[in-house]
Amino acid sequence: MADANAAVAVVTVSLVLLGLLSGLSLSWALLPVAVVVLIFVLASGLKGRDELAHLNVCVLVLGDIGRSPRIQYHALSLSRHGYNVTLIGFLGTKPHQDIIEDDRIDILPISELKGLTVGPRIFRYASKVIFQSFQLFYVLMKIEDQGYILMQNPPGLPAIAVTWVASRLRGNQFIIDWHNYGYTIMALTHGENHFIVKLAKWYEKLFGRFSDHNLCVTNAMREDLRKNWNIEATTLYDKPPPIFRETPLKLQHELFIRMGSTYLPFRPSLDVTKEYMELTAFTEHNTQTGAVTRSAGRPALLISSTTTRILSFIPLTEIPCNLQHLTYFFLSPIEYEKFVEAGHKLPSLVCVITGKGPQKEYYKKLIDSKEFHHIKICTPWLEAEDYPVLLGSADLGVCLHKSSSGLDLPMKVVDMFGCCLPVCAIHFQCLHELVKHEENGLIFKDSKELSEQLKLLFSDFPGDQGKLGIFRKNLRESGQQRWDENWDHNVLPLIKEHCD
């Protein structure tokens, strides 16, 4: 059946192209598509289904699977409950090892098509959407029969419309997992009143209503979907999986040794040597007894990440004007250095900025333009397995994520909290649903406020009686919910209702 559907798709596309080459207008050339869609819609309720289709779920992201953790968590949760998962997306970054080794998860990579390279910008973008539409439609028609298609939005152009059509033709239930609104991300580049942004909003709002079920990441987004889009959704907060936890000291040392082979900030000072001791900037390993301890006078380890989810949609040349708040991370250390030089008792800092993408070059340019004496900055790219180990080894997290819609939450902070790592986060509309000011972290609005917070939090370092220690203690005692429990409570009943 799947091969037949794919064949119909290929024939339909061929007829459209033939019509265009024959000189027909676009409306007449698209007539075969309309006819085929009508036939399939009418027949969808009558066609036979694979008796095991209810055990198959397609999980889709029109983006890099390896940089889409929530989609990977969906796939693992489905597999854990006995469902066979077809995971569709781009294979730019290696997915988590648990995904690769899971026999129930079949990764089906699709190409990141670029469209035409000549002509006006709008024409090139339209050609990319068309090419991606044909590719995605073909893949969705070709896979085995599915009970559900669960799709991440954004990116939703053209994924929402194509997935809806494919789900209607094949009789699948269609779920949209709303992370944000795609049109608000486009508005960062073009402005809210640009024609393409208004068109994207109309498209997202129209086709978003055609889904059978909806998930979203915050209560604020759920209310906005209900009030302004007439879409009912279930809030599925991002929650950390079990891999995000405080890292034992021995594992910290092993990670620091590995990172020290590439990144200087993790290496011990050249003037520090100790017999029978293996040293890093943060830890000491006694090679005779095997004991690992923290180094006296060690620097504080601060971790942040580049905002890949937003910046992957924005041209490199437009990053500075659209995301000027990124410079807060670099203006604050300048003030921090002034505090140290003024005599405040503060530790040196090692600032690690994780992430990958066009924004990384922007960060590097800022780093190269600064000269610090008490601060070291490095920008490693970590394997998926090493990232939670580093988070669990850090002393403080800094979040620079500002939601384009004001309705989604930074997943990096979720991961940090899973490691009981306190956070300083930049303020935006619904951040209070995650970061509780003066309880599990602090919220800042500008670089001056962030620098004051760094001074406050590290004034007692490395002691645990100050605010930093209190925030960590609060996180440990919060009994925070993990992803599996959250997913089982909110999503599993929805899947079982249809599939079982």
Side-chain angles (χ1 to χ4, degrees):
M1 184 64 180
D3 289 339
N5 288 338
V8 171
V10 172
V11 171
T12 303
V13 172
S14 300
L15 289 174
V16 171
L17 294 176
L18 181 61
L20 291 173
L21 293 174
S22 301
L24 293 178
S25 67
L26 181 61
S27 298
W28 283 105
L30 290 175
L31 183 60
V33 177
V35 172
V36 171
V37 169
L38 178 61
I39 292 173
F40 270 91
V41 169
L42 292 175
S44 62
L46 301 176
K47 68 177 184 177
R49 296 292 308 279
D50 185 335
E51 63 179 8
L52 297 179
H54 66 284
L55 295 176
N56 300 332
V57 180
C58 172
V59 178
L60 166 66
V61 57
L62 201 61
D64 188 345
I65 293 174
R67 290 162 66 183
S68 303
R70 183 170 163 113
I71 280 296
Q72 296 184 71
Y73 300 161
H74 276 303
L76 289 169
S77 293
L78 286 161
S79 172
R80 182 167 53 85
H81 285 281
Y83 295 97
N84 302 309
V85 179
T86 301
L87 181 55
I88 300 177
F90 305 149
L91 269 185
T93 305
K94 177 186 173 185
H96 195 278
Q97 196 65 29
D98 289 347
I99 292 284
I100 296 172
E101 296 177 353
D102 195 313
D103 293 336
R104 290 186 179 275
I105 299 176
D106 180 23
I107 299 176
L108 183 56
I110 56 177
S111 301
E112 187 174 2
L113 302 177
K114 299 298 182 183
L116 299 177
T117 57
V118 296
R121 185 175 179 180
I122 187 68
F123 180 75
R124 286 181 277 131
Y125 183 74
S127 67
K128 176 181 178 179
V129 170
I130 292 171
F131 294 163
Q132 286 182 334
S133 297
F134 283 139
Q135 176 187 221
L136 182 57
F137 183 71
Y138 176 82
V139 169
L140 290 177
M141 298 300 288
K142 188 174 185 292
I143 59 176
E144 293 181 7
D145 213 355
Q146 307 287 315
Y148 269 99
I149 302 178
L150 191 161
M151 190 208 84
Q152 172 183 309
N153 178 65
L157 185 65
I160 297 178
V162 174
T163 306
W164 170 71
V165 171
S167 67
R168 295 296 80 97
L169 298 185
R170 305 202 58 182
N172 313 134
Q173 291 283 296
F174 177 30
I175 304 174
I176 299 178
D177 189 6
W178 298 82
H179 290 208
N180 200 348
Y181 298 148
Y183 80 90
T184 64
I185 297 174
M186 297 178 70
L188 294 174
T189 301
H190 302 291
E192 294 181 5
N193 296 320
H194 194 283
F195 167 76
I196 193 68
V197 175
K198 291 183 177 180
L199 180 64
K201 182 178 181 179
W202 170 85
Y203 159 86
E204 204 167 6
K205 198 169 184 178
L206 173 66
F207 285 96
R209 295 172 180 165
F210 294 163
S211 60
D212 298 295
H213 306 280
N214 295 273
L215 305 172
C216 63
V217 293
T218 64
N219 286 332
M221 179 173 283
R222 182 188 66 188
E223 180 61 20
D224 188 75
L225 285 168
R226 185 193 64 79
K227 183 177 179 180
N228 298 318
W229 296 53
N230 197 28
I231 292 175
E232 296 293 335
T234 299
T235 301
L236 179 70
Y237 281 116
D238 285 320
K239 298 290 182 180
I243 58 173
F244 288 97
R245 59 186 183 273
E246 292 186 82
T247 304
L249 200 54
K250 184 175 183 295
L251 291 182
Q252 290 186 33
H253 179 77
E254 293 172 357
L255 176 66
F256 295 152
I257 287 291
R258 293 199 303 273
M259 296 193 69
S261 64
T262 307
Y263 304 104
L264 289 175
F266 288 86
R267 299 176 188 174
S269 299
L270 295 177
D271 56 350
V272 177
T273 56
K274 294 184 179 181
E275 191 175 9
Y276 306 119
M277 299 295 282
E278 182 183 51
L279 305 177
T280 72
F282 307 94
T283 53
E284 301 178 353
H285 173 222
N286 188 312
T287 56
Q288 289 190 320
T289 66
V292 178
T293 57
R294 300 189 189 278
S295 302
R298 69 181 178 93
L301 179 56
L302 185 153
I303 188 165
S304 185
S305 67
T306 50
T307 49
T308 53
R309 283 193 297 172
I310 291 179
L311 288 174
S312 60
F313 292 87
I314 301 176
L316 178 60
T317 55
E318 300 185 43
I319 287 174
C321 64
N322 281 300
L323 293 167
Q324 293 176 356
H325 63 277
L326 295 178
T327 59
Y328 295 167
F329 190 86
F330 298 93
L331 294 176
S332 299
I334 295 175
E335 295 299 319
Y336 186 89
E337 288 236 320
K338 291 179 181 177
F339 294 147
V340 176
E341 291 169 359
H344 291 275
K345 188 180 178 182
L346 295 169
S348 297
L349 293 183
V350 172
C351 302
V352 178
I353 308 169
T354 65
K356 185 178 182 180
Q359 69 279 20
K360 191 167 186 176
E361 294 305 316
Y362 178 54
Y363 269 120
K364 284 184 175 180
K365 288 179 181 178
L366 285 175
I367 292 170
D368 293 340
S369 69
K370 309 297 179 185
E371 184 177 349
F372 299 117
H373 301 288
H374 304 282
I375 297 171
K376 297 178 182 179
I377 301 175
C378 66
T379 57
W381 171 248
L382 299 168
E383 293 293 333
E385 292 75 22
D386 283 338
Y387 178 66
V389 179
L390 181 62
L391 279 190
S393 307
D395 298 298
L396 179 68
V398 172
C399 175
L400 303 172
H401 173 98
K402 285 196 84 170
S403 170
S404 60
S405 66
L407 299 173
D408 72 310
L409 293 171
M411 199 166 190
K412 298 299 183 184
V413 173
V414 174
D415 297 338
M416 292 173 182
F417 283 170
C419 296
C420 297
L421 179 64
V423 169
C424 292
I426 191 168
H427 175 269
F428 64 89
Q429 182 178 328
C430 67
L431 184 62
H432 65 276
E433 292 191 36
L434 179 61
V435 180
K436 311 299 182 184
H437 188 66
E438 294 282 358
E439 181 179 325
N440 54 21
L442 298 173
I443 297 173
F444 64 90
K445 294 183 179 179
D446 54 39
S447 60
K448 183 178 180 181
E449 195 170 2
L450 174 57
S451 61
E452 289 289 344
Q453 290 177 0
L454 295 180
K455 181 179 73 170
L456 172 67
L457 294 175
F458 288 128
S459 61
D460 186 53
F461 188 85
D464 57 4
Q465 301 303 310
K467 278 191 176 292
L468 192 61
I470 293 172
F471 293 162
R472 189 180 289 273
K473 179 174 179 290
N474 291 341
L475 285 166
R476 287 170 177 160
E477 295 176 352
S478 65
Q480 56 183 312
Q481 192 180 49
R482 294 286 171 164
W483 171 267
D484 288 343
E485 180 185 353
N486 184 39
W487 194 92
D488 290 356
H489 179 73
N490 290 289
V491 183
L492 184 60
L494 183 154
I495 299 290
K496 282 184 168 293
E497 178 183 352
H498 175 74
C499 292
D500 295 352

